[in-house]
Amino acid sequence: GEPRPGSPGGGPAGGRRVVTINVGGCRVRLAWAALARCPLARLERLRACRGRDELLRVCDDYDAGRDEFFFDRSPCAFRAIVALLRAGKLRLLRGPCALAFRDELAYWGIDEARLERCCLRRLRRREEEAAQARAGPPGSPGRRLRDLLDDPRPGPAGKLFACVSVAFVAATAVGLCLSTMPDIRAEEERGECSPKCRSLFVLETVCVAWFSFEFLLRSLRAESKCAFLRTPLNIIDILAILPFYVSLLAGLAAGGAGAGAGAGGAALLERAGLALRLLRALRVLYVMRLARHSLGLRSLGLTVRRCAREFGLLLLFLCVALALFAPLVHLAERELGARRDFSSVPASYWWAVISMTTVGYGDMVPRSLPGQVVALSSILSGILLMAFPATSIFHTFSRSYSELKEQQRRAVGPERAPRDDSTRSDSTRSAPATEDGAQGPGGGHGCRPGPGAAPEEPLQK
């Protein structure tokens, strides 16, 4: 029948209206007003429906007599999702398949980031195993290409490919250093090209050709090109490779313009030369490619991403301390001391930075006794502030290193297809569908409503 008054098709109901959410027999009763702030985006959309047609685009069926919404989805996964309503925590239980649970989260409009950290790692492991299975069985072309590019340990071909890639990175770093020698810079400024300069250009061309070939192979292997281009290491590859082609095209264009423009062409060449030098400075990003072949560098990057909050706190502590000690040392030196070095508060900020980080270049030194007291206080404060987040960052690095090492160990272990957790025994997978509040798999995650929800009713069919 049509929705009754106060349902999505009628006027607003009273504040005490309670609706029933029925997901494959798992029934949960929730206050209608609570759906406005529900973390499940699909349930929140129920309040915006105006008419049965809109309603059936959100749910599978609706019983106006009992004010019950039906969803033909997995009840096992919904039992875990109900825990998000009850306790604000989302866990991946042992029963449902991890990949199927990810699809359920997408259906209900829940961000995967809400998963507990250990459960999110488990989901990522399942996704990696599924990706390995899609690459094909051992010995297939897809699997051989994956091992060649991403996992060099299974065979000599992958190790050789990794060694060649690292050698090209080292050659690029050496060429970058040699290109900054005074004699070569002088030749570039005069517009000359000696055999040494030509050799460096050939070396850079060969290295960029190899990096472009490797990037092309990785892009061809990627299933989603958009996701591939959003990967941090691939962004670094693009930023390191593009300057060579841009500088090459800019040099050709500037050369053609300079040949027929006289004085204007000379000015254009000068501006093009400055742009080329700035672009070539980006070649230092080639060093970041070593992260593809170094477990330690990948662990460092993962630690920086996970410890963003700790680094933010450290920066906040330093900024507050700088704002305190820089004016103090300026006051102590300019008003009470020798009136040297500390000419302004901004200049004192530089002294505070190098003092609190215990670098101490010695270019600015407090001479007066009050200034030295301020210096001692800033140094001791810097030591303490730098030590506060160090323990947390160290433990995060250790945990990240262990996780990546475990991933490598699983990758070189016996090849296993991703296992669906639903093949476990029925006693751990299913729960009674004839009674609400039954415990789901893993214990303690049954269909119980969150705060503000009404008591549950027995299943009525």
Side-chain angles (χ1 to χ4, degrees):
E2 293 299 322
R4 64 176 177 82
S7 65
R16 296 184 178 180
R17 178 188 172 189
V18 176
V19 297
T20 303
I21 308 297
N22 191 326
V23 181
C26 177
R27 302 171 73 248
V28 178
R29 303 192 68 192
L30 297 172
W32 178 252
L35 297 184
R37 55 184 183 275
C38 183
L40 280 67
R42 182 168 289 268
L43 295 184
E44 188 178 1
R45 285 162 52 192
L46 289 175
R47 289 181 58 89
C49 294
R50 295 294 180 266
R52 188 175 182 82
D53 293 337
E54 292 184 16
L55 191 64
L56 294 181
R57 285 196 290 266
V58 179
C59 63
D60 295 303
D61 199 2
Y62 174 66
D63 187 347
R66 292 184 297 181
D67 208 6
E68 186 169 359
F69 300 90
F70 295 89
F71 295 87
D72 189 14
R73 305 299 296 186
S74 170
C76 293
F78 189 70
R79 289 186 179 94
I81 293 174
V82 168
L84 180 63
L85 301 176
R86 184 183 71 247
K89 294 184 179 180
L90 183 60
R91 294 185 176 92
L92 180 59
L93 303 182
R94 294 184 179 273
C97 169
L99 300 182
F101 188 75
R102 179 194 60 186
D103 297 337
E104 291 294 319
L105 293 180
Y107 174 82
W108 292 106
I110 302 175
D111 189 4
E112 295 178 6
R114 282 183 171 268
L115 279 168
E116 296 294 306
R117 179 176 295 179
C118 58
C119 299
L120 187 59
R121 288 199 299 266
R122 180 186 167 197
L123 177 60
R124 295 291 178 257
R125 287 198 299 267
R126 294 297 189 188
E127 292 175 344
E128 293 172 3
E129 292 173 359
Q132 293 177 6
R134 287 193 299 268
S140 63
R143 178 60 63 87
R144 285 200 298 265
L145 181 60
R146 185 192 70 85
D147 293 340
L148 183 69
L149 296 175
D150 298 331
D151 193 7
R153 292 159 300 164
K159 295 179 181 178
L160 178 61
F161 187 89
C163 291
V164 172
S165 182
V166 172
F168 274 110
V169 172
T172 302
V174 172
L176 178 62
C177 295
L178 294 178
S179 64
T180 60
M181 300 298 291
D183 53 343
I184 297 179
R185 292 292 300 274
E187 292 175 358
E188 290 182 356
E189 293 175 357
R190 293 193 301 266
E192 301 176 357
C193 185
S194 64
K196 185 185 299 184
C197 181
R198 192 175 297 108
S199 300
L200 289 177
F201 177 75
V202 172
L203 175 63
E204 182 182 4
T205 303
V206 173
C207 293
V208 171
W210 170 264
F211 296 144
S212 303
F213 171 71
E214 184 179 351
F215 183 82
L216 181 62
L217 286 180
R218 294 183 186 277
S219 63
L220 292 176
R221 191 187 66 84
E223 297 180 359
S224 174
K225 300 301 185 289
C226 294
F228 172 80
L229 294 177
R230 290 196 301 265
T231 305
L233 288 179
N234 294 325
I235 294 176
I236 292 175
D237 286 346
I238 294 174
L239 293 178
I241 293 173
L242 278 184
F244 174 80
Y245 296 105
V246 173
S247 61
L248 188 62
L249 295 177
L252 294 176
L268 180 61
L269 283 176
E270 183 178 356
R271 290 194 298 269
L274 177 61
L276 294 179
R277 286 193 293 271
L278 293 177
L279 286 175
R280 288 178 181 176
L282 293 177
R283 289 181 296 175
V284 71
L285 294 176
Y286 283 125
V287 179
M288 300 299 296
R289 292 177 55 86
L290 294 176
R292 295 189 181 276
H293 312 287
S294 172
L295 181 62
L297 289 178
R298 291 201 301 274
S299 302
L300 180 61
L302 185 59
T303 302
V304 171
R305 188 165 68 248
R306 289 180 173 178
C307 292
R309 181 176 300 178
E310 285 79 0
F311 285 117
L313 287 176
L314 176 60
L315 183 61
L316 175 63
F317 294 159
L318 288 178
C319 289
V320 171
L322 291 178
L324 173 65
F325 289 111
L328 285 179
V329 74
H330 175 262
L331 175 65
E333 287 296 300
R334 294 292 297 178
E335 304 298 334
L336 306 176
R339 299 174 179 267
R340 292 186 301 176
D341 293 338
F342 300 88
S343 58
S344 63
V345 173
S348 303
Y349 274 113
W350 168 248
W351 170 87
V353 168
I354 62 177
S355 297
M356 295 191 65
T357 55
T358 66
V359 176
Y361 290 122
D363 53 345
M364 299 175 66
V365 180
R367 308 289 182 181
S368 64
L369 181 60
Q372 292 173 353
V373 171
V374 174
L376 177 62
S377 302
S378 66
I379 293 172
L380 294 178
S381 301
I383 294 174
L384 293 176
L385 292 179
M386 297 291 287
F388 281 156
T391 303
S392 175
I393 295 174
F394 169 76
H395 287 301
T396 304
F397 177 81
S398 178
R399 186 170 62 251
S400 302
Y401 183 82
S402 300
E403 291 176 8
L404 293 178
K405 197 170 184 179
E406 178 66 18
Q407 291 179 7
Q408 285 191 350
R409 186 191 65 79
R410 291 197 309 270
V412 298
E415 298 292 338
R416 299 188 301 269
R419 183 180 50 162
D420 190 333
D421 289 339
S422 62
T423 58
R424 298 176 185 268
S425 61
D426 292 340
S427 61
T428 61
R429 182 182 72 241
S430 60
T434 59
E435 182 179 355
D436 289 326
Q439 277 196 324
H445 290 284
C447 295
R448 288 179 292 179
E456 300 165 1
E457 301 175 352
L459 177 63
Q460 299 178 4
K461 189 173 180 179

